[in-house]
Amino acid sequence: MNDRLPSGGPGSARQGWWQGRNEREASRVEMQALKGFKDILPVESGTWQAMEARAREVLARHGCAEIRVPLLEKTELFARSIGQATDIVEKEMYSFTDRNGESVTLRPEGTASVLRAFVEHGLHTVQAVQRLYTLGPMFRHERPQKGRLRQFHQLSVEVIGSASPYVDAEVMAMAWSVLAANGVAASLEINSLGCPGCRPAYRELLLTFLNDLAAELCPDCQRRRSTNPLRVMDCKSSHCQERYQGLPKMKDHLCGACQEHFVRVQGSLQALGIPYAVNPAMVRGLDYYVRTAFELVTDQLGAQAAVGAGGRYDGLIAALGGPDLPAIGFAIGLERLALLVEQAAAAAVSPPALDLFLVGLGQEATGRLMALAHAARGLGLRVGQDFEGRSLKAQLKLADRLGARWVLVLGDNELRQGQALMKEMASGRQQPLPVAPAPRAWAEALMPLCQPSSTTPGPI
């Protein structure tokens, strides 16, 4: 093939070739995933499948049923449920006008869609308390970070129809168990956000405090001061956090009913043996939360500490046109959970190195070594073998990568002569070893050299 560049001036084959090359290069650059959107490759999908299967099993034990809801909803659904003054609605939603002139939005979270389906299909008439979950992609236009993408995946769980503090504890236990089933440990932090009865008075206290600091606050807190003052506690600015040291806490201004509810939630968690800490500065980013709010946090993901979060939203179903039913739920970010699962797997104790690697050169020799490997494993040795017909050099490299302590080399000619070669990989020391007629006897002859790396005998 002639790869030389064609010659000629403007309009020539050379110019056409160069233009075509530029177009091909540009095409290659453009054919990439959008920023904040990630492919889950085959090497990763096994982790995701196992992770989701464990979560489904935990939820099935708690009587949860799966509901699958659309990715696209009317924008009004999220504006009414999440709240007009939230960062999600103001800045992060993927909204557009469809061909019918209707504003629609790719779902930024799962609760609103599940509740819309609950109301639309009258699921409250099926049974008094419904336990539902949905699992799938959500969409928010925010700055992509580790474990935080613009298309991300969530497990969203909703328990509808009970105001009991025992249910609050059960829901937190569910979230805790999903993480535990995936080998992930996290710290549970809880708070009470009060109710429509006690929150207005607290809001006035908060506003008085913030108004005195108005000139010193960051632009986000300036905006939140007039739209959603509770959200100032979620500010990431160290400058603002220093000024919030004396901020009045909601837990100190709860009404009697909210106070009693929160005490019973804590007692229930203690009864379940689930450790927790009260975090009075915790708020949720959505307007619909009342009373119990919680997060499951970890120090393994940098700034993105929360792997799961949720809380109670007793008035939301009525606000969406449904019956006035209490409800509580949580969401777990699957990208973050996958990162933690992979970290746990990487930190696990590596399997012991091989005691022996068998190098066969020829079909007859490979077959004899296969029988030897089976007998040696029965005596407790950890044995590896290659069946791909690679060269001696390639098999020795493989043995080294697998951490083999000894290598036994046998070719068809050596088999006929009754003599194999043993090599200690660390020192390079070599010595001949007679080939015994019976695999078991041959394996027993190897034992003085290749002591098992595990004290537990038997096949691996």
Side-chain angles (χ1 to χ4, degrees):
M1 179 178 178
N2 186 357
D3 290 328
R4 290 183 300 170
L5 187 66
S7 61
S12 66
R14 175 187 176 92
Q15 186 183 50
W17 179 91
W18 187 258
Q19 182 178 353
R21 175 183 178 277
N22 288 341
E23 290 172 354
R24 290 191 298 273
E25 291 294 331
S27 177
R28 278 196 291 269
V29 171
E30 290 169 4
M31 293 298 104
Q32 297 177 355
L34 294 170
K35 183 178 181 180
F37 291 72
K38 181 182 180 297
D39 301 306
I40 299 173
L41 301 177
V43 70
E44 304 166 290
S45 60
T47 296
W48 281 71
Q49 290 164 4
M51 187 173 69
E52 292 167 5
R54 295 183 197 113
R56 292 179 192 276
E57 175 60 27
V58 168
L59 297 176
R61 292 185 206 140
H62 285 82
C64 294
E66 183 177 10
I67 182 170
R68 302 191 183 193
V69 290
L71 298 183
L72 199 64
E73 300 272 9
K74 294 179 180 179
T75 301
E76 181 188 5
L77 171 66
F78 301 113
R80 288 175 62 185
S81 61
I82 296 172
Q84 288 281 7
T86 60
D87 287 351
I88 294 174
V89 172
E90 288 183 344
K91 302 177 182 179
E92 298 171 2
M93 294 202 311
Y94 280 92
S95 300
F96 58 94
T97 303
D98 69 7
R99 293 186 179 184
N100 295 324
E102 185 168 36
S103 179
V104 293
T105 296
L106 288 169
R107 63 184 188 192
E109 54 98 40
T111 298
S113 293
V114 171
L115 296 188
R116 189 268 311 147
F118 178 87
V119 172
E120 181 176 344
H121 300 287
L123 297 185
H124 62 286
T125 63
V126 178
Q127 62 188 57
V129 178
Q130 287 270 354
R131 290 172 168 83
L132 304 171
Y133 76 90
T134 193
L135 189 155
M138 314 289 169
F139 304 84
R140 295 185 193 177
H141 193 284
E142 53 187 341
R143 185 168 64 87
Q145 302 173 49
K146 181 181 180 181
R148 184 175 183 172
L149 301 174
R150 290 175 175 173
Q151 176 180 307
F152 58 99
H153 297 75
Q154 271 188 352
L155 168 66
S156 185
V157 177
E158 322 297 340
V159 177
I160 304 168
S162 175
S164 170
Y166 303 120
V167 169
D168 295 25
E170 181 191 40
V171 166
M172 286 184 266
M174 254 191 269
W176 180 274
S177 298
V178 168
L179 298 187
N182 281 285
V184 171
S187 301
L188 175 63
E189 296 183 356
I190 67 173
N191 193 20
S192 178
L193 303 180
C195 69
C198 55
R199 195 182 289 174
Y202 171 70
R203 188 177 186 275
E204 290 304 314
L205 281 173
L206 196 58
L207 280 173
T208 300
F209 183 93
L210 295 174
N211 289 339
D212 291 340
L213 294 174
E216 304 177 52
L217 302 180
C218 74
D220 272 347
C221 287
Q222 291 275 15
R223 176 176 53 82
R224 289 168 176 164
R225 183 169 60 94
S226 57
T227 60
N228 192 353
L230 268 71
R231 287 295 316 284
V232 300
M233 287 183 274
D234 206 25
C235 181
K236 302 300 185 289
S237 165
S238 57
H239 171 84
C240 288
Q241 288 300 328
E242 287 175 7
R243 280 144 185 81
Y244 295 156
Q245 294 300 311
L247 203 68
K249 303 293 191 295
M250 183 72 233
K251 72 179 185 65
D252 299 325
H253 300 276
L254 297 174
C255 65
C258 287
Q259 182 65 40
E260 182 182 358
H261 186 97
F262 195 44
V263 168
R264 289 191 178 183
V265 168
Q266 294 176 72
S268 301
L269 288 173
Q270 291 164 12
L272 294 175
I274 296 178
Y276 68 91
V278 176
N279 179 358
M282 182 208 301
V283 293
R284 304 295 304 127
L286 311 179
D287 279 356
Y288 52 62
Y289 285 110
V290 297
R291 290 192 170 174
T292 304
F294 65 92
E295 290 186 352
L296 287 156
V297 300
T298 172
D299 60 359
Q300 303 299 307
L301 294 175
Q304 303 306 314
V307 65
R312 180 164 284 284
Y313 48 90
D314 291 348
L316 180 55
I317 298 172
L320 294 177
D324 190 8
L325 294 174
I328 184 172
F330 69 87
I332 289 177
L334 298 186
E335 275 80 5
R336 296 183 190 183
L337 181 57
L339 286 171
L340 292 168
V341 169
E342 289 164 2
Q343 288 178 16
V349 177
S350 300
L354 296 177
D355 299 304
L356 177 66
F357 188 87
L358 303 177
V359 174
L361 303 173
Q363 291 187 11
E364 189 177 356
T366 298
R368 286 291 295 274
L369 290 180
M370 184 177 179
L372 171 62
H374 182 70
R377 288 169 182 147
L379 295 176
L381 292 178
R382 300 185 183 274
V383 183
Q385 186 178 4
D386 176 64
F387 297 105
E388 306 306 318
R390 294 181 176 91
S391 66
L392 172 60
K393 183 177 180 181
Q395 291 195 58
L396 289 174
K397 284 184 176 179
L398 177 60
D400 187 52
R401 286 200 302 273
L402 295 175
R405 295 170 54 233
W406 286 88
V407 169
L408 185 151
V409 181
L410 181 70
D412 287 348
N413 290 335
E414 288 77 15
L415 179 60
R416 286 188 284 272
Q417 296 167 7
Q419 195 79 13
L421 179 70
M422 288 287 288
K423 178 179 179 179
E424 187 177 36
M425 294 296 285
S427 66
R429 178 169 59 95
Q430 300 182 24
Q431 66 184 72
L433 183 78
V435 176
R440 174 83 180 190
W442 197 4
E444 289 172 348
L446 287 169
M447 290 297 290
L449 285 176
C450 307
Q451 289 301 315
S453 52
S454 169
T455 56
T456 305
I460 58 174

